[in-house]
Amino acid sequence: MPVYEYECSACSHRFEEWQKINDKPVKVCPKCKAHKVERLISHTSFQLKGGGCTAICTPASDRPAPPM
């Protein structure tokens, strides 16, 4: 489940919520109860590293022949 970051424009309270992708965004600040909450765009920790995908993502016709 993704973690979404929110900020209340009334009291500047920042908080995070674990939500399913289909869940509706939070609309009420848990601190001041104002209806002025906006979802923030945050950095992700998802990274692709290495070349492990080459063997399974490249069609067999494009792969170099294995050494003999």
Side-chain angles (χ1 to χ4, degrees):
M1 240 186 307
V3 177
Y4 291 102
E5 189 176 5
Y6 292 90
E7 183 174 20
C8 175
S9 58
C11 70
S12 300
H13 177 60
R14 290 182 110 173
F15 59 98
E16 296 177 343
E17 290 288 329
W18 287 80
Q19 295 179 296
K20 295 178 184 175
I21 292 174
N22 296 337
D23 287 350
K24 293 184 180 181
V26 175
K27 301 225 184 234
V28 179
C29 175
K31 185 175 180 182
C32 74
K33 308 301 182 208
H35 290 262
K36 297 190 175 202
V37 175
E38 294 182 18
R39 188 184 295 176
L40 303 175
I41 298 175
S42 304
H43 293 279
T44 180
S45 61
F46 178 77
Q47 294 180 356
L48 295 175
K49 292 185 177 182
C53 186
T54 305
I56 59 172
C57 296
T58 306
S61 60
D62 293 343
R63 283 187 227 143
M68 294 200 172

